[in-house]
Amino acid sequence: QVQLQESGPGLVKPSETLSLTCTVSGGSVTGSYWNWIRVPPGRGLEWIGYTHYSGNSKYNPSLKSRVTMSVDTSKNQFSLKLSSVTAADTADYFCARWESNQKAFDIWGQGTVVTVSP
Amino acid sequence: EIVLTQSPGTLSLSPGERATLSCRASQSVSSTYLTWYQQKPGQAPRLLIYGASSRAAGIPGRFSASGSGTDFTLTVSRLEPEDFAVYYCQQYDSSVLTFGGGTKVEIK
């Protein structure tokens, strides 16, 4: 049973870079497309983008200029970097697996809250 | 970018009642890529329905969904206490993946 676990700082200063990691257990990070999704306080879900171990990544156009995602096969992890953060980037960040047959997010991490504040 | 509009924003119902949630797209969506999720406070979203109408593994039969083109519907035939949550629809059109704003189903 594949499980995902997010990790990273819960507090980031404005203008700095938010960095999160998602560890994949019970399966290989080489097998799927891996996504980041966030939920700002009081708002709905926002897709940030996906990455694949082949190096193929796609990002939400609204965030594309600030987002980098990558996969570390040696650690069975994938990561998110979001640069030049502002208070608007405060959110609950989830990693999730895109299941290619169902074409949906079938496995999610528990989420990690990131607050952008001085 | 395809915008998904969910209605109503909040649905106040009693256990045992039927819930009907709407998801309307700004342009036609492939049914293959129309998905519904349930999210409870403090939890990750849970996959309910994929391909517009197929229940995910472990999802009870009281959940059903239908629709095509720009209009999609999620129905909960008889609400159980654990069904009170926020429901999101989601689509992917090969350029960007978007979610609806969500419908909160609350206890009346």
Side-chain angles (χ1 to χ4, degrees):
Chain A
Q1 175 75 349
V2 174
Q3 293 184 308
L4 306 179
Q5 178 67 59
E6 304 89 349
S7 59
L11 182 64
V12 182
K13 290 181 169 51
S15 80
E16 295 189 344
T17 296
L18 178 160
S19 296
L20 296 175
T21 297
C22 185
T23 300
V24 180
S25 59
S28 174
V29 77
T30 61
S32 301
Y33 283 83
W34 304 100
N35 291 255
W36 289 95
I37 294 152
R38 68 182 185 180
V39 188
R43 300 183 62 181
L45 298 163
E46 180 181 31
W47 176 69
I48 301 171
Y50 71 65
T51 188
H52 189 263
Y53 84 100
S54 64
N56 182 22
S57 296
K58 177 174 278 190
Y59 308 136
N60 190 320
S62 68
L63 298 167
K64 185 177 181 179
S65 63
R66 299 193 291 129
V67 173
T68 304
M69 296 182 186
S70 61
V71 174
D72 186 337
T73 55
S74 67
K75 296 181 180 178
N76 221 37
Q77 296 175 335
F78 60 100
S79 65
L80 165 69
K81 293 188 186 301
L82 181 65
S83 64
S84 305
V85 297
T86 69
D89 296 309
T90 293
D92 197 354
Y93 285 78
F94 294 92
C95 56
R97 184 179 80 169
W98 178 260
E99 205 286 314
S100 58
N101 290 325
Q102 297 174 101
K103 296 183 174 35
F105 300 120
D106 68 329
I107 297 174
W108 296 67
Q110 66 184 27
T112 187
V113 176
V114 178
T115 302
V116 178
S117 180
Chain B
E1 173 180 318
I2 296 177
V3 176
L4 298 178
T5 302
Q6 291 188 243
S7 61
T10 302
L11 200 50
S12 298
L13 295 168
S14 300
E17 290 194 295
R18 181 185 187 90
T20 303
L21 288 65
S22 172
C23 175
R24 183 159 292 174
S26 59
Q27 55 187 283
S28 186
V29 171
S30 167
S31 294
T32 300
Y33 290 99
L34 196 288
T35 309
W36 291 91
Y37 301 89
Q38 175 195 68
Q39 187 179 28
K40 298 179 182 179
Q43 296 185 18
R46 177 173 73 145
L47 174 62
L48 289 179
I49 301 288
Y50 65 94
S53 61
S54 297
R55 276 190 302 276
I59 301 303
R62 61 182 181 273
F63 289 92
S64 64
S66 63
S68 64
T70 60
D71 289 300
F72 298 88
T73 300
L74 174 70
T75 301
V76 187
S77 60
R78 290 178 58 86
L79 285 165
E80 296 288 341
E82 62 268 27
D83 299 336
F84 291 90
V86 179
Y87 293 83
Y88 294 96
C89 57
Q90 170 247 302
Q91 70 78 36
Y92 179 59
D93 69 349
S94 80
S95 62
V96 65
L97 186 149
T98 57
F99 292 92
T103 290
K104 181 179 181 180
V105 179
E106 64 177 22
I107 299 176
K108 187 175 182 179

